[in-house]
Amino acid sequence: MDVEGIYKEAEALLEGHFILSSGNHSNRYLQSAKVLEDPKRATLLAQALAEMIRKSGIKVDTVCAPALGGILAGYELARALGVRSIFVERKEGSMELRRGFEVSKGEKVIICEDIITTGGSAMEASTIIESLGADVVAFASLANRGFCQREGSDISPKKECKLPTNKPLFALDDFTFEMFTPEECPLCKEGSQAIKPGSRNA
Ligand code: ZN
């Protein structure tokens, strides 16, 4: 599956001059919600992810996503795996399981995001799910920004990765971007203006 091609086609992989959330500049940006805009495409991606998880032999009872970004990817993955879909959400700073969702003791949960950057939100979701007695067996995301190591990739994890090393991360592809501090950014040196993605023109 040409995952990068699918992201480009969906205008989810942008090329230009961007300010990342870290403050660094890059010539690429992943607008990951855009790839889920078309439900058919979302289903296709989630089915490929589900296939990787099935092949690993890991058994999953429930997919849990951190809101808001992970909900669509989590729901589609749950549909593809034929299991339950729940989400945790941030309330006054910390993640909570709300809206009547429950997990039971020993229930096998996979935490799913649309994109894993450092895995901070996924890890918070994992902590709350495990505090309620369920077992987080793995992590999943459609895209991996290359800070954490996904199954089947030889890109080694970076120090920024917050996911545990003893649980697998399933993702369709690595999206590693060249990043520069604003002072060292070659695009800035050429005189171009960096834009914040998510703003009107990005
Ligand atoms: Zn720049």
Side-chain angles (χ1 to χ4, degrees):
M1 180 182 238
D2 175 16
V3 179
E4 186 170 315
I6 292 172
Y7 272 74
K8 276 189 179 153
E9 192 187 270
E11 295 175 19
L13 180 59
L14 308 177
E15 287 174 355
H17 183 191
F18 304 105
I19 306 171
L20 305 178
S21 55
S22 61
N24 288 326
H25 290 194
S26 179
N27 62 350
R28 300 173 91 200
Y29 184 79
L30 211 53
Q31 189 68 273
S32 53
K34 279 286 283 177
V35 83
L36 301 171
E37 196 174 47
D38 174 8
K40 280 202 202 83
R41 193 186 281 127
T43 300
L44 208 73
L45 292 169
Q47 279 172 346
L49 189 58
E51 193 54 33
M52 292 173 75
I53 296 163
R54 269 199 213 99
K55 274 193 185 143
S56 77
I58 285 179
K59 295 275 174 285
V60 175
D61 300 315
T62 299
V63 177
C64 177
L68 187 69
I71 291 180
L72 291 177
Y75 187 82
E76 286 295 337
L77 178 62
R79 189 208 302 270
L81 287 170
V83 301
R84 198 160 76 92
S85 170
I86 60 173
F87 60 86
V88 291
E89 59 199 292
R90 206 173 290 285
K91 174 85 177 166
E92 283 151 16
S94 56
M95 287 281 194
E96 284 181 16
L97 189 63
R98 298 165 60 88
R99 300 171 195 266
F101 290 142
E102 288 176 354
V103 290
S104 48
K105 195 169 176 335
E107 187 173 344
K108 292 178 171 45
V109 178
I110 190 166
I111 306 292
C112 182
E113 277 272 30
D114 54 348
I115 177 170
I116 291 280
T117 306
T118 63
S121 302
M123 199 51 217
E124 275 185 78
S126 170
T127 303
I128 170 77
I129 289 300
E130 294 214 308
S131 77
L132 297 168
D135 295 332
V136 171
V137 292
F139 294 85
S141 68
L142 299 175
N144 179 37
R145 272 287 279 104
F147 292 97
C148 299
Q149 188 170 33
R150 71 183 171 95
E151 292 294 295
S153 171
D154 50 13
I155 293 176
S156 49
K158 310 288 181 289
K159 63 178 186 326
E160 291 89 345
C161 181
K162 296 189 176 74
L163 297 184
T165 52
N166 62 344
K167 288 176 187 175
L169 166 64
F170 298 96
L172 296 174
D173 205 355
D174 295 313
F175 289 84
T176 50
F177 302 163
E178 265 196 294
M179 290 179 291
F180 311 97
T181 62
E183 296 74 34
E184 289 170 341
C185 175
L187 300 162
C188 284
K189 282 183 183 149
E190 284 169 11
S192 110
Q193 183 80 40
I195 55 166
K196 263 211 157 77
S199 62
R200 206 154 52 92
N201 298 314

